[in-house]
Amino acid sequence: MNTNQMKGEAGRPLHNEKPKQEGHVWGSMRRTAFILGSGLLLLVAFWNSVTWHLQRFWGASGYFWQAQWERLLSTFEGKEWTLFILGATQVPVFFFWSFSGLLLVVDTTGKPNFISRYRIQVGKNDPVDPVKLRKAIQTVLFNQFVISLPLLVFLYPILKLWGDPCRQELPTFHWFLLELAIFTLIEEVLFYYSHRLLHHPTLYKKIHKKHHEWTAPIGVISLYAHPVEHVASNMLPAMVGPIIMGSHLSSITVWFSLAFIITIISHCGYHLPFLPSPEFHDYHHLKFNQCYGVLGVLDHLHGTDTVFKQTKAYERHTILLGFTPLSESIPDPPKKME
């Protein structure tokens, strides 16, 4: 009798286990929904506030920019193709060399000293090898003017099929924001999978290894790549979005310029204050088999950032909002003595 009672008492928790687990799951789901819902509402409110203020600025200055655009159109009347090439190639190239040129001063001279404090891989490129740098600059110029320029010339008639990229009316601010979001999403997908494909042993050895000669990257080598890689991983992910959206030249110029700036930051080798963190891609150059994407979304989904997430570099992968280098506030663990 007592034995049966003991079995019955022992069995009760087993019968109640499923309802308790279900209650726990539903409770967790409700809490998660509440947190995500509240966060989403705050994000929407913040986003609406920001875009409202920016839209006011855009609306106030819109006539000015429209007038300047119409003046450009009248100057290049009958030569819109030339205007397109200048806007889609030379303006982004100007931003590329202006930004990477400033970083090259630090890379080659080590001055100003305070910027060198933000170096991610301490002791690397200090200073940069001039022979290696010269080779990289030659390759970048080749990719920009022998590979990219013809591709963008070819882009113009493709865009004309969807609508004139040099049409008279500029896009609205909200439409440009939508375009920017779509461009970023498309680039993340195309860059991740093309980049990961290039890490296949056969393709890596013949094509992608060139880019990985720099285990500690610097800004200018963001375009240091084999021509095949430059087309597949650098150009196409950035071009497909504007083709799909039938974008205006103004959107294309801003997008290409932003893409250059972001890729330079990702490769610059310095975790500078108030700029996006380059720790993610810098770690990719250091270890090769982690962190293939731009935003890290697909790396998270595919589990190609699991090792990275266990490192101090992951802890430092945030926007630096002060002036103390994160390599000092979150230092690497001391190396084990052999």
Side-chain angles (χ1 to χ4, degrees):
M1 187 76 174
N2 291 337
T3 304
N4 291 334
Q5 286 178 345
M6 290 174 64
K7 288 182 179 178
E9 289 172 0
R12 283 172 194 155
L14 296 176
H15 292 299
N16 295 331
E17 185 176 358
K18 187 174 180 180
K20 284 182 179 179
Q21 288 179 341
E22 289 180 352
H24 176 71
V25 170
W26 280 111
S28 298
M29 290 178 66
R30 283 196 298 269
R31 286 193 296 272
T32 303
F34 174 77
I35 293 169
L36 292 178
S38 301
L40 183 61
L41 287 174
L42 288 173
L43 178 63
V44 169
F46 175 75
W47 179 256
N48 285 338
S49 175
V50 170
T51 55
W52 181 77
H53 287 292
L54 289 174
Q55 180 63 42
R56 285 189 65 191
F57 167 77
W58 188 272
S61 61
Y63 177 76
F64 169 79
W65 294 114
Q66 183 67 42
Q68 302 312 307
W69 172 245
E70 290 177 3
R71 183 178 299 177
L72 269 177
L73 282 179
S74 63
T75 302
F76 286 89
E77 186 175 1
K79 301 176 182 178
E80 288 80 6
W81 177 85
T82 305
L83 177 60
F84 176 84
I85 297 303
L86 290 173
T89 64
Q90 300 312 298
V91 174
V93 164
F94 169 79
F95 280 105
F96 177 88
W97 285 107
S98 297
F99 193 16
S100 59
L102 290 173
L103 291 167
L104 275 176
V105 173
V106 186
D107 293 326
T108 54
T109 67
K111 297 178 181 179
N113 294 329
F114 76 91
I115 292 183
S116 296
R117 292 178 61 211
Y118 298 98
R119 192 183 301 277
I120 296 173
Q121 296 187 41
V122 179
K124 302 286 184 69
N125 298 324
D126 191 18
V128 69
D129 181 346
V131 176
K132 194 177 177 182
L133 176 61
R134 193 177 305 115
K135 176 186 174 185
I137 290 175
Q138 290 172 352
T139 300
V140 170
L141 289 171
F142 177 86
N143 284 339
Q144 285 182 326
F145 293 99
V146 180
I147 305 296
S148 296
L149 186 57
L151 271 176
L152 291 170
V153 169
F154 184 64
L155 176 64
Y156 182 69
I158 295 176
L159 288 168
K160 289 278 285 185
L161 296 174
W162 294 91
D164 188 359
C166 295
R167 51 190 175 272
Q168 185 171 358
E169 188 175 354
L170 290 174
T172 65
F173 178 69
H174 282 92
W175 178 256
F176 172 69
L177 285 182
L178 175 64
E179 284 186 309
L180 197 59
I182 292 173
F183 296 165
T184 303
L185 179 62
I186 291 173
E187 185 188 38
E188 173 71 6
V189 172
L190 294 181
F191 179 78
Y192 178 87
Y193 290 112
S194 63
H195 185 195
R196 194 168 176 185
L197 181 63
L198 287 170
H199 275 265
H200 184 279
T202 303
L203 295 177
Y204 180 84
K205 185 178 180 180
K206 294 180 178 179
I207 298 174
H208 193 47
K209 187 176 180 179
K210 184 180 184 73
H211 185 68
H212 274 283
E213 290 172 6
W214 292 77
T215 54
I218 61 174
V220 74
I221 70 106
S222 53
L223 296 184
Y224 176 68
H226 188 282
V228 172
E229 177 183 351
H230 183 61
V231 173
S233 275
N234 293 337
M235 293 300 298
L236 290 181
M239 290 170 57
V240 170
I243 291 173
I244 291 175
M245 298 299 291
S247 296
H248 192 278
L249 175 59
S250 59
S251 298
I252 296 170
T253 302
V254 174
W255 164 239
F256 285 173
S257 301
L258 283 175
F260 272 154
I261 291 171
I262 293 300
T263 194
I264 289 170
I265 292 173
S266 297
H267 287 85
C268 72
Y270 302 96
H271 195 146
L272 298 170
F274 311 111
L275 291 180
S277 167
E279 300 279 353
F280 187 80
H281 195 72
D282 195 277
Y283 190 81
H284 173 75
H285 274 262
L286 182 64
K287 298 298 182 182
F288 294 13
N289 60 354
Q290 291 278 295
C291 310
Y292 296 101
V294 179
L295 302 176
V297 176
L298 288 173
D299 285 282
H300 176 74
L301 293 175
H302 288 289
T304 49
D305 60 355
T306 51
V307 176
F308 173 66
K309 287 178 177 177
Q310 299 169 18
T311 66
K312 289 292 183 179
Y314 176 68
E315 294 181 36
R316 294 191 288 261
H317 186 45
T318 183
I319 295 177
L320 175 57
L321 298 177
F323 294 98
T324 301
L326 287 171
S327 58
E328 296 178 10
S329 58
I330 310 177
D332 288 324
K335 294 182 179 180
K336 294 180 180 179
M337 299 293 293
E338 295 183 359

